Amino acid sequence: MRRKVTLKQIAKELDVSISTVSKSLRNSLEISEDTRQKVQAFAKLYNYKPNNIALSLKNRRSKTICIIIPEIIHHFFATVISGVEKIANEKGYNVLVCLSDESFDKEVINIEMLANGTIDGFIMSLSKETQQKRDFHHISEVISQGMPVVMFDRVTNDILCDKVIIDDALAAFNATQFLINKGFSKIGLLSTVDYVSVGKLRTEGYINALKTNDIVVNENLILKIEDTDNFESQIVSLLENNKLDAIFAVNEIFAVTAIKVASKLGIKVPEDLSIIGFTDGIISKYSSPSITTVSQNGIKMGEKAAKMLIEKLEIEEEEYDEQYKTEVIETELVERESTL
Amino acid sequence: MRRKVTLKQIAKELDVSISTVSKSLRNSLEISEDTRQKVQAFAKLYNYKPNNIALSLKNRRSKTICIIIPEIIHHFFATVISGVEKIANEKGYNVLVCLSDESFDKEVINIEMLANGTIDGFIMSLSKETQQKRDFHHISEVISQGMPVVMFDRVTNDILCDKVIIDDALAAFNATQFLINKGFSKIGLLSTVDYVSVGKLRTEGYINALKTNDIVVNENLILKIEDTDNFESQIVSLLENNKLDAIFAVNEIFAVTAIKVASKLGIKVPEDLSIIGFTDGIISKYSSPSITTVSQNGIKMGEKAAKMLIEKLEIEEEEYDEQYKTEVIETELVERESTL
DNA sequence: CTGAAAGCGCTTACAG
DNA sequence: CTGAAAGCGCTTACAG
């Protein structure tokens, strides 16, 4: 077991100073061609690689960014990670992925643990619990210390920072309108509880679409699902008690579960019931029937978020003007088999 | 924008030495109760947090580990991450998640980038390309420098290190036997190309089960899928040209696609065709019909891998004996709707 | 009880 | 052209 070689060791072996070694390796013109060659050859032989921790300390930046997501089960978040990774790696940054598991405490711990030099900035989507508590002190704390933060998807107006979102209300409006255009009027909604920002916005879009088309909003057709574990029975009642034409679901888990429930009740999708989901994930793609859905383009969101963050990181201190932008990424409706 | 406060600044403010501040904060008994209190109060007020990078440099360990996975689309890998995160966080380690995207080069770059101080050890599953090339120099390099590596799932015998696997051949044998016990003999196999270690082993298990039961192995019923993009048509031919009783698929994407194809061809699952998949992911759970599958217990694999890695990291240098273990995690067959 | 010094591994302004 | 020194932020053995 051979330990990693350091500048010091090379200097000793070659009987020159550490400075000379360092400069040689960085191709400084100060150093004679001769020594430079000698040092570089030796370094190569011993496979020298600078210690990144030492560089981080010296430069006061680690070239690592962290993305915090609520859970990995939603494929959308996985695609955002891919987008972030892509841009970050292109620009020479590492990406640390952290999971908050929808927990406020885990979010706080992650941030506090990493904000002390380990990483240069955060990209994050709020956990459910954080959105419910509306406690964002851990985030404002970090921002006030000069660490850039970019929020995506589940964001809050209470924090000033760069954001990458989609127009959730508009996308939901369009999806609902799509169903209305097919001639449907008894349209059910499977949404989350209201404190989840995107759930709330998507619900608004749905309601707006109905109102715009003079369809009476029937609260009985709206399910706000709190617990992800046992909502199948709620959907069963919804379908049994109402003769629905269509369903709009705010994520793909809800959409695919609606399909399962329908098939058990002998309701055919799409013949008897059309279903639109949200997020173009693997479930929507591989489900039978495959699911018509609002594509969020997580890759693009991730790329954009990473770009914004790195831009902030590489800006000169003096020109840092605390201007925050909110980028809205386009969505599109991907038509598949679950709608007529 | 208030920069993070350092020991130096506290020392200056309080007119004591840096050593005194450091010791006070670490509750050293050397320091008088009085100064200790004073320093701690001040530190709290200014929300002092030690700089982790400086600590890493000093301690020559970063308390971060890295998990490299081939792709995040397979839910199995996501569950392994959860397991690793859980144990790592309990033990005060950060987790860096890297994606190799099944690419050899990305794997090499990730490892080289991080092996210089940023992280203390790796947990990894080999990329397809790496398994195909059989080039593991980047891994042996890192191991020879004294950095512990734990491989999981897609491993190789060419590298000596700790490993966490399942008995892929046995699990496949059992799944196939399960189908045979139902009275099926025309059983198709959807596998990967042979260089993917787990695909090969699962294929072996399938073949063994057939042989053990004196069923002739028919190569026409075996599909070795190379490209994940366009294999639907291959499955179509398989089903059209052969009257199958059942299918064993080595991952859930293949299994769910078989269901889709079957339903398009008017073949009913499970009435006309039973299907067993591999990996208990969200697709298997939410598919209609839901899929009977071999559960790999990714959480447990991740937990075990993290435990083994951290154990190696925290062992005293002298007692480090280069003993490598291979842990085999139990699998189980989860029966759902896709089999009779 | 307090502090100066050395060191983790590096870079760079400065002196010679 | 080469090297000693200072410094990034911390810890700790040692001196006083």
Side-chain angles (χ1 to χ4, degrees), chain B residues 67-71 74 76-77 80 102 123-127 131 150-157 162-168 196-199 201-202 250-251 278-279 295-298 301-302 305 326-329 331:
Chain B
I67 174 168
I68 305 182
I69 59 171
E71 44 190 343
H74 284 131
F76 163 67
F77 290 119
V80 177
E102 302 286 12
I123 293 174
M124 65 183 299
S125 191
L126 295 166
S127 81
Q131 293 208 115
V150 178
M151 290 196 185
F152 72 94
D153 196 52
R154 276 143 62 162
V155 305
T156 173
N157 287 326
D162 286 332
K163 287 161 195 165
V164 181
I165 53 170
I166 57 167
D167 189 334
D168 285 284
V196 178
S197 57
V198 295
L201 290 167
R202 290 170 198 171
V250 303
N251 64 46
F278 215 105
T279 293
S295 163
Q296 287 174 277
N297 210 338
M301 289 184 85
T326 295
E327 288 280 343
V328 180
I329 303 292
T331 58

Side-chain angles (χ1 to χ4, degrees), chain B residues 20-154:
Chain B
T20 302
V21 177
S22 172
K23 287 175 192 162
S24 300
L25 293 176
R26 321 197 90 234
N27 270 317
S28 161
L29 297 171
E30 286 185 72
I31 304 293
S32 73
E33 182 63 24
D34 218 40
T35 17
R36 224 191 311 163
Q37 298 257 320
K38 195 175 60 178
V39 172
Q40 292 193 0
F42 192 89
K44 185 154 189 196
L45 181 64
Y46 279 83
N47 195 20
Y48 170 79
K49 297 267 167 51
N51 179 313
N52 284 323
I53 291 290
L55 287 176
S56 295
L57 184 59
K58 182 76 190 157
N59 301 330
R60 278 132 114 223
R61 49 197 356 256
S62 61
K63 284 246 170 187
T64 6
I65 60 181
C66 172
I67 174 168
I68 305 182
I69 59 171
E71 44 190 343
I72 212 157
I73 192 178
H74 284 131
H75 186 252
F76 163 67
F77 290 119
T79 61
V80 177
I81 295 178
S82 299
V84 170
E85 284 250 342
K86 176 156 173 288
I87 298 297
N89 289 347
E90 275 173 27
K91 311 233 175 195
Y93 283 77
N94 295 315
V95 180
L96 229 150
V97 178
C98 290
L99 309 177
S100 67
D101 282 339
E102 302 286 12
S103 138
F104 174 77
D105 288 342
K106 259 200 95 180
E107 200 175 282
V108 173
I109 289 173
N110 273 324
I111 291 189
E112 292 194 341
M113 191 145 132
L114 298 170
N116 304 297
T118 310
I119 61 137
D120 296 339
F122 288 101
I123 293 174
M124 65 183 299
S125 191
L126 295 166
S127 81
K128 263 192 202 167
E129 208 188 339
T130 308
Q131 293 208 115
Q132 186 173 19
K133 292 177 89 141
R134 309 187 120 269
D135 180 350
F136 310 110
H137 78 272
H138 52 304
I139 304 171
S140 51
E141 172 79 12
V142 136
I143 292 178
S144 82
Q145 282 164 185
M147 179 166 290
V149 172
V150 178
M151 290 196 185
F152 72 94
D153 196 52
R154 276 143 62 162

